[in-house]
Amino acid sequence: MDDFQPSTRPTQEHATESDDARIDNLEQFRRELDAIDATLLEAVRERLLLCQQIGEWKRVSNVPMMQPGRVHLVQERARQFALRHGLSPEFFESLYKLLISETCRLEDLVIDGQATAEETVRESVGPRSGSSS
């Protein structure tokens, strides 16, 4: 009994073909999920870069950072997307609150001149594509 060590994964000698298939399926699912995550992360990065450019435009054009009508439109669009696809509107509301909060923070930094555009981008999303820094 002292030699007994429980395992959460079947050993090769005890694994059946169906166990191997399930493990292979899980690995395939994980690869697909990793690819989706990479796309999602890049999309968020691109969104933040664009919002930083919007902040620069607002600063030069003397336009206030906060645009409540636009915020409401973006949040409502996300909510409607969730409802159309049978997903949680609360989740999408939380997700967009977080995205909009970061957008506002970045725009504030740019508009108030607290950071250069390059510093602002690097802080949240890393160096611009093609940049050596």
Side-chain angles (χ1 to χ4, degrees), residues 118 122 126-128 130-133:
E118 195 64 30
R122 194 172 296 113
R128 291 180 190 238
S131 171
S132 59
S133 48

Side-chain angles (χ1 to χ4, degrees), residues 8 15 41 58 75-77 83 87 101 118 120:
T8 57
L41 292 170
K58 286 178 179 178
Q75 289 174 323
E76 183 59 23
R77 186 173 51 217
L83 291 171
L87 302 168
S101 175
E118 195 64 30
T120 303

Side-chain angles (χ1 to χ4, degrees), residues 2 30 49 70 85 108 120 131:
D2 292 329
R30 288 177 175 166
L49 283 169
R70 175 66 180 167
H85 294 283
D108 269 340
T120 303
S131 171

Side-chain angles (χ1 to χ4, degrees), residues 75 78 88-101:
Q75 289 174 323
S88 167
E90 293 80 14
F91 168 75
F92 279 84
E93 181 180 328
S94 296
L95 176 63
Y96 270 82
K97 279 184 180 178
L98 185 62
L99 286 170
I100 290 168
S101 175

Side-chain angles (χ1 to χ4, degrees), residues 2 6 12 17-18 20 27 35 45 48 52 59 65 73 79 83 86 96 101 103 108 111 116 119 129:
D2 292 329
Q12 202 57 17
E17 193 171 314
S18 64
D20 287 342
E27 291 305 314
R45 180 176 124 12
L48 293 175
Q52 177 264 331
R59 179 179 48 78
M65 183 278 296
L73 175 76
R79 185 172 129 357
L83 291 171
Y96 270 82
S101 175
T103 297
D108 269 340
I111 291 169
T116 67
E119 289 170 340
S129 295

Side-chain angles (χ1 to χ4, degrees), residues 8-111:
T8 57
R9 184 173 174 186
T11 63
Q12 202 57 17
E13 63 190 79
H14 294 103
T16 65
E17 193 171 314
S18 64
D19 290 335
D20 287 342
R22 283 195 300 257
I23 291 167
D24 288 344
N25 285 342
L26 180 58
E27 291 305 314
Q28 178 59 35
F29 290 146
R30 288 177 175 166
R31 283 190 297 275
E32 290 177 34
L33 192 57
D34 289 347
I36 291 168
D37 284 347
T39 301
L40 176 63
L41 292 170
E42 184 59 29
V44 170
R45 180 176 124 12
E46 289 177 15
R47 187 183 199 286
L48 293 175
L49 283 169
L50 183 57
C51 289
Q52 177 264 331
Q53 292 174 356
I54 291 168
E56 290 175 4
W57 181 88
K58 286 178 179 178
R59 179 179 48 78
V60 170
S61 302
N62 202 28
V63 172
M65 183 278 296
M66 185 51 76
Q67 303 287 311
R70 175 66 180 167
V71 169
H72 177 73
L73 175 76
V74 170
Q75 289 174 323
E76 183 59 23
R77 186 173 51 217
R79 185 172 129 357
Q80 290 300 320
F81 177 88
L83 291 171
R84 276 193 315 276
H85 294 283
L87 302 168
S88 167
E90 293 80 14
F91 168 75
F92 279 84
E93 181 180 328
S94 296
L95 176 63
Y96 270 82
K97 279 184 180 178
L98 185 62
L99 286 170
I100 290 168
S101 175
E102 180 61 7
T103 297
C104 290
R105 187 187 74 78
L106 289 174
E107 286 186 17
D108 269 340
L109 288 173
V110 171
I111 291 169

